[in-house]
């Protein structure tokens, strides 16, 4: 079974991806982690990626796809959860083609939804540790001591990209991309939208329910 999980920044995607991977035996493909691992491995590809990341450019689609392809081919017999990929219709088409070559399919596409106002409130309430990169949310995941990192004791800062204008622009871009992806995956049973309200356990229960319902229909 293959699942895509997407949602706006600040919605708790990676928390949910962790829960799905741990509780439901999915192998998680996280674009961010995969890029970081490849850079750390100092491979030829990793060196190329590092150049893009350091210059603040987007890593081109063909490089990203190499990583996806490698992961999918190595995990053909495992349930896979894609997080942070695909982001565009072009990427979704490339992934569809790869899966179909391997006799596989994309089974469930889960959009975690939250109103723009709520996303905005969550994002502006974030604290970031400049030392160990931990991220806190003053509403849903506050540090134990106010403004101090639980992990290393550093004083938390607001991420520089969390200014109001930048957030509004990111949300708008996300909404445009999501609309196109939703159209691309628009098939009964495949595309599922859930609201990210309640605790992380409540959100996870909704996701688990959808995944189980799909498994039972096969
Ligand atoms: Zn820290």
């Amino acid at each position: 079974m293959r699942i895509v999980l997407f949602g706006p920044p600040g919605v708790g995607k990676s928390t949910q991806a962790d829960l799905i991977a741990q509780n439901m035996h999915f192998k998680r493909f996280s674009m961010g982690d995969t890029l970081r691992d490849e850079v750390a491995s100092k491979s030829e590809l990793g060196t190329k990626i590092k150049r893009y990341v350091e210059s603040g450019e987007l890593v081109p689609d063909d490089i990203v796809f190499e990583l996806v392809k490698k992961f999918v081919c190595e995990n053909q017999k495992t349930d896979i959860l894609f997080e942070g990929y695909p982001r565009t219709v072009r990427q979704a088409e490339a992934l569809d083609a790869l899966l179909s070559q391997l006799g596989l399919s994309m089974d469930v596409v889960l959009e975690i939804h939250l109103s723009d106002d709520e996303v905005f409130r969550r994002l502006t309430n974030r604290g970031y540790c400049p030392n160990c990169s931990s991220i806190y949310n003053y509403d849903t995941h506050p540090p134990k001591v106010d403004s101090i990192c639980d992990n290393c004791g550093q004083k938390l800062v607001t991420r520089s990209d969390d200014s109001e204008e930048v957030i509004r622009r990111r949300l708008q871009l996300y909404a445009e991309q999501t609309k196109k992806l939703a159209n691309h995956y628009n098939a009964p049973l495949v595309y599922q939208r859930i609201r990210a309200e309640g605790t992380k356990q409540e959100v996870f229960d909704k996701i688990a329910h959808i995944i189980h319902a799909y498994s039972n229909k096969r």
Side-chain angles (χ1 to χ4, degrees), residues 129 131-132 134 149 151-152 154:
C129 175
N131 184 41
C132 73
S134 297
C149 178
N151 209 19
C152 69
Q154 180 81 23

Side-chain angles (χ1 to χ4, degrees), residues 67-145:
L67 298 170
V68 174
K69 193 171 169 184
K70 192 169 142 215
F71 185 89
V72 172
C73 289
E74 283 169 0
N75 293 287
Q76 289 184 48
K77 296 194 167 57
T78 319
D79 291 333
I80 300 177
L81 169 70
F82 294 93
E83 182 213 338
Y85 186 92
R87 277 185 201 275
T88 63
V89 171
R90 240 182 93 195
Q91 290 178 345
E93 285 169 349
L95 182 56
D96 289 346
L98 170 67
L99 291 175
S100 112
Q101 271 170 28
L102 298 168
L104 304 171
S105 58
M106 184 55 74
D107 301 304
V108 177
V109 176
L110 269 171
E111 179 196 342
I112 307 183
H113 177 75
L114 208 56
S115 72
D116 275 5
D117 285 345
E118 179 63 16
V119 171
F120 188 76
R121 198 180 63 79
R122 289 194 186 187
L123 286 178
T124 45
N125 250 330
R126 287 215 290 202
Y128 172 75
C129 175
N131 184 41
C132 73
S133 307
S134 297
I135 295 172
Y136 297 86
N137 182 299
Y138 292 111
D139 292 325
T140 56
H141 170 53
K144 290 190 186 97
V145 181

Side-chain angles (χ1 to χ4, degrees), residues 14-78:
S14 62
T15 304
Q16 292 301 327
D18 281 342
L19 287 171
I20 297 168
Q22 283 160 19
N23 293 293
M24 308 186 85
H25 309 289
F26 276 82
K27 193 108 184 220
R28 174 180 173 188
F29 178 85
S30 153
M31 191 36 103
D33 291 349
T34 305
L35 288 172
R36 274 188 292 276
D37 290 348
E38 194 66 33
V39 170
S41 79
K42 299 199 160 91
S43 66
E44 204 181 312
L45 198 58
T47 310
K48 258 196 225 169
I49 293 168
K50 194 174 172 204
R51 259 180 256 139
Y52 288 104
V53 174
E54 281 177 349
S55 61
E57 280 177 68
L58 277 178
V59 181
D61 264 7
D62 56 332
I63 293 185
V64 165
F65 188 67
E66 277 307 303
L67 298 170
V68 174
K69 193 171 169 184
K70 192 169 142 215
F71 185 89
V72 172
C73 289
E74 283 169 0
N75 293 287
Q76 289 184 48
K77 296 194 167 57
T78 319

